[in-house]
């Protein structure tokens, strides 16, 4: 299984599927449609049925059951984050990692900077050459799902209900299930294979919103600007200074929420700010959004109505609200992980997955580990032995005798 996973994963990551948050199209990049065809071919090769690519780029497939039971889905996303280049990924495979610095074309990987590397001494690690991200988020999940399904096909003695796979586009830009037909998918519950460290399972995630702020200034000659000029760039700086300085990603962890400035640009005449707003607690989430609204109102009173314009909208919500009503879905995954010989790590997701939105669409969908670390950047890496455990977990979930 190890060689099979390495081969499949390293082939899958070489295709650039970066999503584009500024694109009006769906999927946001044409390369994802191209990638859908590649994945459909992989699913055909292993013998899955009902393989389909719809007009939105969703790839779905079915492994018919050989016994009775509720249909179970496994889902991963095709796109990689636009935060770092996904073009020309060149994987480095380190067998029997010894704990030393990993030299690359780009920045080195070291246990001094990333102590979690010490967990994998003696194991096999895959990283990029440092000039791109790796793409384990979430092509590791795709590789693990395909490998698990192939194993079940090759071992018909294992009793399982109907299980289905789905690969989605544009998850990284919050649009992964915008057009996903959960009812047509036909599963009673599902799991996203999109988590991190070995043994991790998550059923709590951020409530999420996005704020896009446009500021209109008034440009006049600086020599005669007194009481006339309105500097949009300075107002953008003022806006950011009115948010709590310590409630940012670099200063928060666990269940703490934040405001995250993802984009700032501008000049005297015009400026633009993009924020993502995150919080686990629904009341606190609403207060954060209200704070943004209040700042806009304050600045408009100061500089004139219409100076600051706000587009504020919700993206997804904490799936814990749904999973608590379907605890058996979580219990099944916990037992499946235990059966691999590792201890489950129930962790909140400081982010979101397709499963968060799917849960509110009637498809309870916790998130399970892939084995990856440091997603969305050049320091991303994954442990192959953890990937094997993810495959085992999927197989154990599918088994009717799992719990």
């Amino acid at each position: 299984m190890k060689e099979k996973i390495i081969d499949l994963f390293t082939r899958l990551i070489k295709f650039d599927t970066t999503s584009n948050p500024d694109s009006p199209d769906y999927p946001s990049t044409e390369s994802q449609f191209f990638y859908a065809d590649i994945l459909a071919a992989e699913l055909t090769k292993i013998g899955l049925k009902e393989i389909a690519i719809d007009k939105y780029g969703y790839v779905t497939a079915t492994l018919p059951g050989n016994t009775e039971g509720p249909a179970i889905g496994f889902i991963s996303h095709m796109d990689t984050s636009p935060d770092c280049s996904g073009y020309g990924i060149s994987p480095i495979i380190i067998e029997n990692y010894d704990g030393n610095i990993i030299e690359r074309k780009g920045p080195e990987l070291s246990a001094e900077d990333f102590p979690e590397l010490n967990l994998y001494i003696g194991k096999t690690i895959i990283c990029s050459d440092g000039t791109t991200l790796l793409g384990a988020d979430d092509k590791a999940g795709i590789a693990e799902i395909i490998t698990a399904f192939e194993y079940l096909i090759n071992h018909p003695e294992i009793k399982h209900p109907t299980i289905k796979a789905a690969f989605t586009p544009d998850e990284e830009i919050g649009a992964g299930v915008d057009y996903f037909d959960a009812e047509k998918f036909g599963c009673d519950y599902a799991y996203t294979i999109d988590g991190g460290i070995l043994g991790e399972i998550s059923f709590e995630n951020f409530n999420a919103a996005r704020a896009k702020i446009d500021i209109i200034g008034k440009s006049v000659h600086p020599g005669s600007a007194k009481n006339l000029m309105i500097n949009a760039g300075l107002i953008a700086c003022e806006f950011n200074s009115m948010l709590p300085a310590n409630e940012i990603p670099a200063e928060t962890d666990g269940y703490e929420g934040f405001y995250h400035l993802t984009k700032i640009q501008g000049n005297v005449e015009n400026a633009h700010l993009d924020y993502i707003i995150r919080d686990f607690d629904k009341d606190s989430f609403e207060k954060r959004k209200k704070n943004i609204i209040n700042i806009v109102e304050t600045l408009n009173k100061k500089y004139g109505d219409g100076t600051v314009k706000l587009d504020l909208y919700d993206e997804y919500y904490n799936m814990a609200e749904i999973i608590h009503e379907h605890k058996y879905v979580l219990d099944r995954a916990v037992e499946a992980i235990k059966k691999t010989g590792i201890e489950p790590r129930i962790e909140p997701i400081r982010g979101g997955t397709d499963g968060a939105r799917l849960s509110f669409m009637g498809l309870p969908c916790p998130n399970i580990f892939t084995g990856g670390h440091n997603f969305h950047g050049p320091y991303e890496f994954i442990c192959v032995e953890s990937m094997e455990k993810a495959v085992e977990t999927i197989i154990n979930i599918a088994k009717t005798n799992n719990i």
Side-chain angles (χ1 to χ4, degrees), residues 278-345:
R278 302 290 189 261
D279 210 300
F280 285 94
D281 180 77
K282 194 66 178 288
D283 290 339
S284 181
F285 176 61
E286 295 299 326
K287 288 177 182 177
R288 288 185 185 279
K289 292 190 292 180
K290 182 61 176 174
N291 190 29
I292 293 282
I293 293 170
N294 289 342
I295 292 172
V296 170
E297 291 175 349
T298 297
L299 291 174
N300 278 330
K301 286 179 182 178
K302 182 176 180 179
Y303 295 104
D305 286 344
T307 300
V308 184
K309 298 180 179 180
L310 171 65
D311 180 16
L312 176 66
Y313 55 92
D314 291 352
E315 295 180 298
Y316 52 83
Y317 302 107
N318 189 346
M319 69 174 134
E321 179 181 333
I322 303 300
I323 302 303
H324 282 310
E325 299 173 1
H326 303 275
K327 192 170 180 295
Y328 65 91
V329 179
L330 180 65
D331 291 342
R332 190 174 189 92
V334 167
E335 289 303 313
I337 293 172
K338 286 181 178 179
K339 283 183 177 291
T340 71
I342 58 175
E343 194 61 31
R345 303 165 59 109

Side-chain angles (χ1 to χ4, degrees), residues 30-81:
E30 189 176 357
S31 61
Q32 293 182 76
F33 259 130
F34 174 72
Y35 196 62
D37 288 330
I38 291 168
L39 295 181
E42 291 287 344
L43 298 174
T44 301
K45 185 166 65 176
I46 67 171
L48 291 187
K49 307 298 182 184
E50 299 174 357
I51 299 165
I53 304 171
D54 72 8
K55 65 180 180 179
Y56 300 111
Y58 294 108
V59 181
T60 53
T62 301
L63 176 57
N66 53 23
T67 190
E68 296 296 318
I72 307 170
F74 296 95
I75 301 166
S76 291
H77 62 87
M78 300 185 288
D79 63 318
T80 59
S81 171

Side-chain angles (χ1 to χ4, degrees), residues 197-216:
I197 192 170
L198 176 68
E200 180 184 79
I201 178 170
S202 303
F203 69 97
E204 300 173 278
N205 61 276
F206 280 137
N207 295 292
R210 188 174 294 269
K212 296 178 179 289
I213 296 135
D214 287 295
I215 303 168
I216 301 170

Side-chain angles (χ1 to χ4, degrees), residues 6-150:
I6 292 174
D7 173 69
L8 178 58
F9 176 64
T10 54
R11 282 193 290 110
L12 292 179
I13 61 176
K14 290 186 178 181
F15 298 93
D16 179 20
T17 57
T18 309
S19 47
N20 179 5
D22 298 319
S23 170
D25 300 323
Y26 196 95
S28 63
T29 49
E30 189 176 357
S31 61
Q32 293 182 76
F33 259 130
F34 174 72
Y35 196 62
D37 288 330
I38 291 168
L39 295 181
E42 291 287 344
L43 298 174
T44 301
K45 185 166 65 176
I46 67 171
L48 291 187
K49 307 298 182 184
E50 299 174 357
I51 299 165
I53 304 171
D54 72 8
K55 65 180 180 179
Y56 300 111
Y58 294 108
V59 181
T60 53
T62 301
L63 176 57
N66 53 23
T67 190
E68 296 296 318
I72 307 170
F74 296 95
I75 301 166
S76 291
H77 62 87
M78 300 185 288
D79 63 318
T80 59
S81 171
D83 292 348
C84 184
S85 174
Y87 177 76
I89 294 172
S90 181
I92 298 173
I93 302 171
I94 302 102
E95 298 272 4
N96 194 26
Y97 173 61
D98 59 9
N100 290 328
I101 291 172
I102 301 171
E103 301 284 353
R104 311 182 294 170
K105 285 184 180 179
E108 65 187 23
L109 263 179
S110 73
E112 181 178 354
D113 292 331
F114 302 105
E116 60 269 28
L117 278 165
N118 289 315
L119 298 171
Y120 306 113
I121 292 174
K123 300 188 183 299
T124 300
I125 291 173
I126 304 177
C127 61
S128 76
D129 66 1
T131 63
T132 67
L133 48 66
L134 177 63
D137 182 12
D138 189 24
K139 289 168 184 171
I142 293 174
E144 289 157 3
I145 289 171
I146 293 174
T147 303
F149 276 52
E150 183 177 17

Side-chain angles (χ1 to χ4, degrees), residues 225-271:
K226 187 171 182 179
N227 298 325
L228 292 173
M229 179 184 285
I230 298 175
N231 191 320
L234 288 177
I235 295 173
C237 295
E238 183 177 358
F239 187 105
N240 192 66
S241 72
M242 295 171 75
L243 292 169
N246 63 338
E247 295 182 15
I248 60 175
E251 299 286 343
T252 54
D253 63 5
Y255 286 93
E256 297 172 321
F258 57 71
Y259 305 89
H260 178 35
L261 177 63
T262 61
K263 183 178 183 180
I264 181 169
Q265 61 184 31
N267 51 33
V268 175
E269 287 190 300
N270 295 280

